[in-house]
Amino acid sequence: MCQFTKPFQDALYIIEKIEQAGHQAYFVGGCVRDLLLKRSIGDIDITTSATPDKIQTIFDQVIPVGIEHGTVIVRHNKVSYEVTTFRVESDYSDGRHPDSVQFIDKIDQDLARRDFTVNALAMDKYGKIIDLFHGQEDLQNGLLRTVGDGMDRLKEDPLRILRAIRFSSQLGFKIENDTLSAIRDVKPAVEGLAVERITAELQKLFAGNYVKAGLIYLTDLRIEKHLPVLKDYQVLKKLSETIRPVHTLSEVICLIHRTEPKMDVRTISKGWKCSNRVLNEAIQLNEAITYYTINGLNNMLAYKLLPDFYMAFSRITEILFSQKVKEEELIKLRKNLVILSKKDLDIDGNDIIKLFPDKKKGPWIQELLIKMEELVIQGNIENKKTILKDWIKWNPPVVK
Ligand code: ATP
Ligand code: MG
């Protein structure tokens, strides 16, 4: 019997409602695994004999996210629960989606279609664990083992290869030997996967507490050369020497570029089909790292880099340089900044034009403002119109 934590107590309502309507329902997958490991859980997934149509009649708030695969989201007290009907899958002939799914009314085959024994655990409303594939034993021994024959299961969906390594990075588990040898045989099949699925796994892998072990699997198993972007210049071995968990894809992109400057940030981002938001974040971080390598930590860095990226910046410096820049140091610098944007400067373009009425307007005005901005931020001059004007008179711009 397993002791329920708060998220499970809250989710009992869903299980009980489904049961009251005459169907079976269980907690399943990652949430049961993480409860047994005493890790904090992500989402609660529920597996049920009720079809999606039935679920829609049982609950008021149901979002049909993947009805054809049997998945709906049930909202309860502002929490989303993924509720999936017991199912078996036919082939993944495109390596991406099962060709078709068939709903069934027993949990056994539903658990058998799941990827690893530790993910094939279910739990009823009393906390009783259903463990048909020795998942609890593998949990205790820290092992990732496919449910059923490794070769068949990995060929069926080669994403499982990356999932195995991603879970090793998150949980600190080893990949069991038969599964490992199946990975060695099937690995070229990851080339056929949708890039977005690969990127999502890589992001989770890089965020895992045991990311170093994950990267070592990717390099030792020679999977890197089958992955988008990474296949061009294999950087993971070098990166694995100093890596620590990073939380965003933009950090990963920045790190890869820094490890192999021939791979530029845009190419990596495009190759992984990242959003523009991720690309822009990666550019920001990379600019900040460049600035830092030239100038070190100063007011300008705290000014240019948005506070939202301080944590990410700090994590990257720890990986790239022997000395880490602490987030608090940046926050402290920012607190003491005299201005927070160019608008706060006590001088503007019009003031400058008035100072030099005979000079032709041009980019020199902006350049001068940038110069003033820098002087003020670095504390080299007071942000006061008269003083700024004086400085300009003494250092007149050279206009070509
Ligand atoms: P996380 O903590 O990342 O959410 P998780 O184990 O819940 O981990 P999900 O990707 O959310 O992983 O999937 C939920 C469950 O669905 C898994 O535990 C597993 O049982 C099953 N599953 C997911 N993807 C696959 C797959 N590609 N092949 C087989 N089973 C899968
Ligand atoms: Mg999950």
Side-chain angles (χ1 to χ4, degrees):
M1 272 321 128
C2 204
Q3 199 67 39
F4 286 164
T5 52
K6 175 90 168 55
F8 287 90
Q9 286 164 15
D10 293 345
L12 272 181
Y13 170 84
I14 310 278
I15 304 252
E16 281 168 354
K17 280 280 268 196
I18 299 175
E19 286 189 351
Q20 278 158 20
H23 309 276
Q24 307 159 55
Y26 299 90
F27 299 108
V28 74
C31 65
V32 181
R33 175 198 70 215
D34 291 343
L35 179 72
L36 293 174
L37 286 174
K38 300 191 165 58
R39 287 176 88 234
S40 65
I41 57 154
D43 305 313
I44 291 209
D45 294 331
I46 289 166
T47 185
T48 177
S49 58
T51 59
D53 296 351
K54 271 272 149 46
I55 297 294
Q56 281 175 309
T57 64
I58 299 173
F59 299 97
D60 297 334
Q61 276 187 290
V62 180
I63 310 166
V65 283
I67 281 221
E68 65 284 11
H69 297 118
T71 303
V72 296
I73 299 235
V74 175
R75 298 271 303 162
H76 172 61
N77 283 344
K78 303 205 171 100
V79 180
S80 293
Y81 299 94
E82 212 174 275
V83 179
T84 304
T85 308
F86 298 160
R87 65 180 202 212
V88 285
E89 295 164 351
S90 67
D91 280 0
Y92 284 63
S93 53
D94 65 353
R96 295 174 186 202
H97 313 286
D99 293 340
S100 67
V101 302
Q102 194 190 333
F103 298 144
I104 49 178
D105 61 6
K106 283 216 179 66
I107 195 173
D108 312 30
Q109 280 173 287
D110 183 85
L111 294 178
R113 76 166 170 89
R114 292 172 186 271
D115 48 7
F116 304 106
T117 59
V118 295
N119 286 347
L121 296 164
M123 180 172 72
D124 72 8
K125 65 175 176 202
Y126 304 111
K128 187 172 149 257
I129 304 288
I130 303 175
D131 179 8
L132 307 179
F133 306 100
H134 307 291
Q136 290 174 103
E137 197 182 317
D138 285 338
L139 263 190
Q140 288 214 319
N141 295 326
L143 282 179
L144 291 156
R145 180 197 312 264
T146 53
V147 174
D149 180 72
M151 289 278 274
D152 290 347
R153 301 307 314 285
L154 299 183
K155 274 192 208 153
E156 191 178 58
D157 179 6
L159 190 74
R160 291 169 190 154
I161 294 172
L162 299 181
R163 284 175 61 87
I165 299 171
R166 181 259 279 198
F167 286 120
S168 86
S169 165
Q170 291 178 321
L171 306 172
F173 282 20
K174 295 241 163 1
I175 301 174
E176 175 275 332
N177 279 337
D178 288 342
T179 302
L180 208 55
S181 90
I183 289 180
R184 285 200 183 89
D185 288 338
V186 181
K187 69 189 174 199
V190 299
E191 289 177 23
L193 293 167
V195 172
E196 293 85 345
R197 293 182 86 197
I198 296 178
T199 305
E201 287 305 322
L202 288 177
Q203 176 173 0
K204 290 181 183 169
L205 190 160
F206 270 94
N209 280 337
Y210 305 87
V211 51
K212 185 178 179 127
L215 294 193
I216 289 174
Y217 267 133
L218 283 181
T219 51
D220 285 358
L221 290 165
R222 301 189 198 289
I223 291 175
E224 194 176 11
K225 66 169 192 236
H226 299 290
L227 295 173
V229 172
L230 295 168
K231 64 174 186 280
D232 297 333
Y233 298 90
Q234 293 169 31
V235 294
L236 294 185
K237 190 159 180 54
K238 189 162 169 217
L239 194 51
S240 70
E241 287 161 16
T242 54
I243 195 71
R244 286 166 162 276
V246 292
H247 297 338
T248 62
L249 215 43
S250 46
E251 290 164 70
V252 181
I253 294 170
C254 186
L255 282 173
I256 288 176
H257 165 66
R258 288 281 153 182
T259 312
E260 176 46 82
K262 283 192 197 125
M263 304 167 89
D264 74 84
V265 167
R266 269 169 214 282
T267 313
I268 303 167
S269 184
K270 238 177 122 188
W272 280 351
K273 299 205 173 168
C274 297
S275 64
N276 278 336
R277 186 185 55 77
V278 169
L279 169 64
N280 289 332
E281 280 179 22
I283 291 173
Q284 268 243 22
L285 279 176
N286 189 47
E287 291 284 324
I289 294 286
T290 304
Y291 183 89
Y292 175 69
T293 51
I294 298 168
N295 305 286
L297 184 61
N298 62 22
N299 288 353
M300 198 62 179
L301 185 63
Y303 174 77
K304 287 268 187 204
L305 188 65
L306 296 178
D308 284 354
F309 300 126
Y310 286 0
M311 277 296 274
F313 179 81
S314 170
R315 284 191 289 264
I316 300 189
T317 57
E318 186 169 22
I319 296 165
L320 292 177
F321 315 115
S322 49
Q323 190 113 36
K324 157 179 172 172
V325 174
K326 292 201 194 92
E327 193 201 8
E328 303 86 72
E329 296 180 76
L330 283 159
I331 293 174
K332 203 168 139 203
L333 284 175
R334 192 169 182 93
K335 243 194 203 142
N336 293 325
L337 288 177
V338 181
I339 59 170
L340 286 174
S341 86
K342 222 188 255 148
K343 275 184 266 150
D344 302 335
L345 261 186
D346 204 18
I347 192 164
D348 63 17
N350 288 328
D351 297 321
I352 294 178
I353 291 166
K354 276 187 214 146
L355 278 178
F356 303 101
D358 301 333
K359 282 197 204 297
K360 202 168 155 242
K361 284 182 209 163
W364 64 271
I365 301 172
Q366 267 312 311
E367 284 159 18
L368 193 54
L369 280 174
I370 290 170
K371 178 78 196 155
M372 303 317 296
E373 182 189 27
E374 188 177 347
L375 287 170
V376 168
I377 289 162
Q378 299 289 37
N380 294 330
I381 191 169
E382 206 179 326
N383 186 27
K384 221 166 157 190
K385 202 184 285 265
T386 50
I387 297 180
L388 297 171
K389 276 184 173 174
D390 262 357
W391 186 93
I392 295 174
K393 281 186 208 151
W394 281 92
N395 302 274
V398 185
V399 182
K400 284 162 223 141

